[in-house]
Structures are given as structure tokens and as C-alpha cells.
Amino acid sequence: MKELTKLVIPSWPAEEEPNDDYTVLLNGQPAFVHRARVSAFPLNQVWPGYQRPLEQTEIAGFVSWDMAQPVECRITCRQQVREARVRPSAAGIQPVVEGNTVILQVSCPGQYTVEVNGTHKALHLFANPLATDIPAESAPGVRYFGPGVHCPGIIRMQSNETVYIAGGAVVYGVITADHAENITICGRGILDGSKFDRSEVHGLINPLGCRNVVIDGIILRDPNVWTVVPVLCQQVHIRNIKLIGLWRYNADGIDFVNSQHCSVEDCFIRSFDDSIVFKGLHGWGGLQCNLEPVADIQVRHCVIWNDWGRALEIGAETIATEIKDLHFEDCDIIHTVHVALDIQNTDRGHCHHMVFRNIRIELDDDFTQPMMQEYPEQAYAPAAGYRWIPPIIEVLVFKGFWSKDAIRGKADHILFQDISVKAWGVPETHLRGFDEEHAVRDIEFKNLTINGQSMTDPEAGFKMNEYVHGITLTR
């Protein structure tokens, strides 16, 4: 480790290939720039039986460090710099461009993205708080991965165990747990799933029927499918994890399945499918979910870059008695392709008492229209000069492609408060019920603003059918 007062910059193994598009100095100290394969454009297929072609991807960069003091970040770019932007915009970081160097001040821990000449080949900055409670390598119940490259394959955790991945460690593996309690996965290193094919494992971290789970601080890169998948779990608490390099088909971020009493805080997710999503399924990994509810889960202080799908979502599968008491608060959606805030109820679940509050959505980017690929040779060819503006909000009850249940559900008592949107135009909001018994009701919008203008007229950008009732819009 290189340590300068209250700045910790990990040293990474020689086997970790650097990203040569950028050179980064943190308070004058060199920092390693990692590579992460990401989607280059929004072209997708329903699983075609083969993995996504690399020609549809590009290489982004990321840098990770720990800090307890302001940090000057000097980024020298291989390409000529015409413009530079730091997101989320709410962070208020104004970069200075000097030739091919971008200079910015990071005053506090967080996740920031530097976009040079647009969104392609972005550089992601993961500024962590100083690590605390680091376990001893020889402590009982600790599986310790120190700096270097490790290839453990599938790590199966037992109750009262900790997996610690130190800064400077790259672990090629996945982590599972089956009906375990009191388990912790933490550190500042990288858990990488690139050596696994789609059908080999169920994502990078997959607790099944577990209780009291903590996932904290690590970077997760290149999962084979969904990344973090708690199924039938209680008390799963996810903090300050960074998901990057999600480029394959169905590369979701965090999927809670029939789980309760959980939280996600201070995380960064860049995904090529839904970013944070709550589902009800018949079963997963041989475990039957038995219509268990999805309830009492909070998502706070997260930054989302969504390359395909939905940023914050309930559904589309909702096989549960009810889906309730979900809170999304103080999050930044810096890019999204389809829908920013989405409730798709395609099964029997009763979706109710949910809150989306203080969400900032940035749609003023160079993203282009998503397309489904109809045959392998079909090229991505969006209409020239067309600015794609996805919907900001959907609340839908319907039978669709992902429905697995003959029974329809309903959606009611949902609050959208202090939602601010920056966009090239006025994005739409879609509300649609299935029939009078399975309707959308009592949806409240308080202080929804688009480009600084308060939205109080449902005729402006709202698309609803006859099975939507009790909609209010107030400042």
C-alpha cells in the first residue's frame, strides 16, 4: 500500500492489465487504472444461446482508493479532450481541462464518473472511506484474500464466516451460501466472474435462504448473469459495493428475490440490464420461493448507470403474496436506457406502499435508442440525429412476456416525491392497470420537476388508461 496521511492507494498485481486510455494522479501519487468491459450501445437479444459479441462492447476504466481528506485527481487522457463532465451532477464537481489533462477535486467519499468527449470509454472513480474493522488473516472463520491474484472457483460460505478481499487482491471466483447466518463479504479488492460461463453459476454473490448477511466495500466485475442475488433472505445489508464490467446478456446488478428487511446503501452500479430490482419468483437455484413476500427494503445514496433495462425496478416477475414497504431515497440515476423508476407487475403480487424520494435523473446525454436484435448479423443502426428520451416513471399491471402466473396483481399507495429530471425534452410517465379489479390506484406525485419546471398537469407527459384512479400531482 502507498499511504499519504489519510489517502490509501492500493497496489495491484502485475497480472491485472491496465487501462492505457488514462493516467491518474491522486494528490500527486500514481493510481492504477483498471479495465472493465462495458456495453458500447443498447443492442440486446432474449438469450440466443450464445454470449454477446465483443464487437458490441468497449473498455471503460476505473480507479479505487480510500480517503479521509480532499483529493486532487489529475487525469491525463490519451485522446484529445474537447470537453469533460463529472456525474452525478448533484456532486457539484466542476472539472478543469488543461490540454489533455482533466483536473478535479474530490472532497468526500463517493462514486463519480468522468466523461471525456461524451459517455463512451468513461472513467469511474471509486472514492471509499478509510477501511475499518479489517480482520486478521489468521482469525477464526475468516477466508482472507491478500494482495495478488487468486482463483478459488466457487466459494461456499458457512454460518459465522467472513470472506475478506483486500485492496490489491483480484479474486476470480463466485460466492454462494445456503441457509447460512451471520456471514460477511468485505474488503477493497475485486471479485471477478469472467472465468465463468452463463450456465455454470448463478451470479457473483448468491445467498440462498440466508439471514444476517453483510456485503461491504468490494468491487464486482464481469458476472456471468445477475450479479448479487439474495433469494429468500432476511437482513441482507449491502454497502459501498461497486458493480462494473456488466456487459453480457442479462447482466443485472442487484436482484432481491422474495426477501425481507434488507438495505442497499452508497453503491455504484453500471449494468447491462436492470440495475436494482425486486422480484418474486417460483424458485431459484433449486429453492422454492412459496409466494414469500418482498418487504421492508431500503435503497439509499446509490449511483446508477443503466446500459439496458430499468434503473430502479419492481418486477417484472411478481410471484409473491405482496410486495410492499420498499423505499428508494437520495439516489442519482446518471444514465438509463428504458425507464428510470419502474413498477412492472406481471404476476399476482400486490404492489403497495412504496416510496421513491429525492431521486435525481440525468437524461441529458448522448444515449441512443435501444433496439432488440432480430438476427445475429443485424447491426445497431439508430436513426441519425434522433435524441432518445426514455420514460422516467412506469406503474403497470399487465400480462406480458415475463409473466409466470395466471393471476394478475394490482398496484396502489405509491409516492414519488422530489423527483428531478434533466432531459433534452419532456420524458413520459406511463400508468396502466389491467382491469378494474387489478388497477393502478392512489399514486401521488409531489414536486416532480423536469428541467426545473414543476409538473402539475397530468396531460403533460402522462399516459394512462381507464384502469388508473386516484392520481394526484402537487408542487
Side-chain angles (χ1 to χ4, degrees):
M1 293 285 208
K2 300 171 184 175
E3 189 164 355
L4 179 64
T5 314
K6 296 182 179 180
L7 171 64
V8 179
I9 306 172
S11 296
W12 295 90
E15 295 89 340
E16 179 76 353
E17 185 178 359
N19 185 323
D20 294 329
D21 288 336
Y22 302 99
T23 300
V24 174
L25 297 177
L26 304 175
N27 286 352
Q29 302 296 307
F32 187 87
V33 182
H34 300 263
R35 292 165 55 90
R37 187 173 298 280
V38 297
S39 178
F41 42 77
L43 181 66
N44 204 350
Q45 295 188 64
V46 176
W47 175 240
Y50 55 86
Q51 195 48 265
R52 192 175 182 207
L54 297 184
E55 293 77 14
Q56 298 178 14
T57 69
E58 65 187 30
I59 301 299
F62 67 91
V63 179
S64 179
W65 71 91
D66 292 7
M67 60 180 286
Q69 65 175 24
V71 171
E72 181 190 73
C73 183
R74 299 181 68 91
I75 304 162
T76 301
C77 308
R78 187 164 62 176
Q79 63 175 312
Q80 180 181 357
V81 179
R82 299 188 304 275
E83 61 176 359
R85 182 170 183 174
V86 178
R87 300 183 194 259
S89 298
I93 298 177
Q94 299 298 325
V96 174
V97 177
E98 296 181 355
N100 282 356
T101 297
V102 179
I103 305 167
L104 54 101
Q105 306 295 324
V106 178
S107 61
C108 60
Q111 295 95 28
Y112 312 99
T113 294
V114 181
E115 299 173 2
V116 177
N117 305 334
T119 57
H120 290 284
K121 299 184 178 181
L123 177 64
H124 302 282
L125 306 179
F126 302 147
N128 304 293
L130 292 179
T132 59
D133 301 322
I134 299 174
E137 186 172 353
S138 59
V142 174
R143 302 192 198 187
Y144 191 102
F145 295 93
V149 174
H150 308 267
C151 299
I154 300 175
I155 302 169
R156 293 182 171 87
M157 296 188 70
Q158 307 299 319
S159 293
N160 305 307
E161 280 193 335
T162 293
V163 169
Y164 182 77
I165 304 175
V170 180
V171 177
Y172 291 95
V174 301
I175 299 174
T176 68
D178 192 344
H179 292 87
E181 296 187 354
N182 308 318
I183 62 174
T184 298
I185 304 163
C186 60
R188 292 290 188 266
I190 298 172
L191 182 65
D192 187 298
S194 60
K195 296 186 183 298
F196 292 91
D197 291 332
R198 179 184 176 91
S199 61
E200 288 186 90
V201 291
H202 297 295
L204 278 179
I205 300 179
N206 187 201
L208 302 175
C210 294
R211 183 184 299 270
N212 296 331
V213 178
V214 172
I215 308 171
D216 190 340
I218 64 173
I219 299 166
L220 295 99
R221 182 172 63 185
D222 198 356
N224 62 328
V225 279
W226 301 354
T227 310
V228 180
V229 194
V231 180
L232 276 177
C233 291
Q234 294 82 41
Q235 299 291 347
V236 176
H237 300 294
I238 303 173
R239 297 189 294 263
N240 187 34
I241 67 170
K242 287 73 63 175
L243 278 62
I244 188 70
L246 283 67
W247 61 274
R248 307 194 224 185
Y249 293 125
N250 305 113
D252 285 23
I254 301 173
D255 292 68
F256 285 95
V257 178
N258 299 91
S259 294
Q260 307 89 37
H261 317 306
C262 302
S263 64
V264 181
E265 298 182 283
D266 301 307
C267 295
F268 173 84
I269 299 168
R270 181 174 180 179
S271 60
F272 186 68
D273 215 322
D274 307 321
S275 299
I276 300 179
V277 56
F278 302 94
K279 295 180 179 289
L281 299 178
H282 283 304
W284 177 272
L287 191 64
Q288 295 301 306
C289 293
N290 300 319
L291 300 177
E292 286 292 316
V294 181
D296 183 27
I297 305 178
Q298 291 80 44
V299 176
R300 295 182 287 260
H301 319 310
C302 292
V303 179
I304 307 296
W305 175 322
N306 180 268
D307 282 316
W308 181 273
R310 278 73 178 164
L312 302 176
E313 181 182 34
I314 292 88
E317 305 91 334
T318 55
I319 304 173
T321 53
E322 57 183 346
I323 301 175
K324 66 175 184 176
D325 298 329
L326 306 182
H327 289 251
F328 304 85
E329 190 161 1
D330 191 22
C331 292
D332 289 279
I333 300 171
I334 62 174
H335 299 292
T336 192
V337 168
H338 284 93
V339 186
L341 312 176
D342 187 50
I343 300 173
Q344 290 191 87
N345 190 350
T346 71
D347 294 305
R348 72 175 66 197
H350 179 194
C351 297
H352 65 100
H353 290 94
M354 303 178 187
V355 175
F356 297 81
R357 179 184 286 118
N358 194 19
I359 310 293
R360 297 163 292 277
I361 304 168
E362 301 184 40
L363 303 178
D364 55 340
D365 52 32
D366 56 9
F367 271 31
T368 47
Q369 185 172 6
M371 297 175 58
M372 292 298 291
Q373 193 173 27
E374 298 180 3
Y375 52 90
E377 296 79 19
Q378 181 182 4
Y380 179 67
Y386 174 70
R387 288 197 186 276
W388 170 244
I389 306 176
I392 49 173
I393 296 169
E394 287 191 342
V395 182
L396 312 174
V397 179
F398 67 107
K399 181 178 181 180
F401 179 83
W402 299 109
S403 295
K404 302 295 189 294
D405 199 338
I407 303 173
R408 300 278 69 76
K410 51 189 175 181
D412 55 74
H413 293 92
I414 299 164
L415 171 64
F416 297 90
Q417 181 177 1
D418 298 331
I419 311 298
S420 63
V421 182
K422 295 180 181 179
W424 296 119
V426 178
E428 293 181 350
T429 290
H430 301 159
L431 309 174
R432 187 170 74 245
F434 184 75
D435 57 27
E436 283 298 338
E437 184 180 356
H438 308 94
V440 170
R441 301 178 185 274
D442 300 321
I443 312 297
E444 184 177 4
F445 298 88
K446 296 180 67 173
N447 193 30
L448 167 63
T449 61
I450 299 177
N451 299 323
Q453 181 178 354
S454 181
M455 307 301 292
T456 57
D457 183 1
E459 298 298 320
F462 280 70
K463 305 296 182 182
M464 299 180 281
N465 71 0
E466 66 271 31
Y467 306 123
V468 175
H469 308 289
I471 307 304
T472 60
L473 286 87
T474 59
R475 294 182 187 272

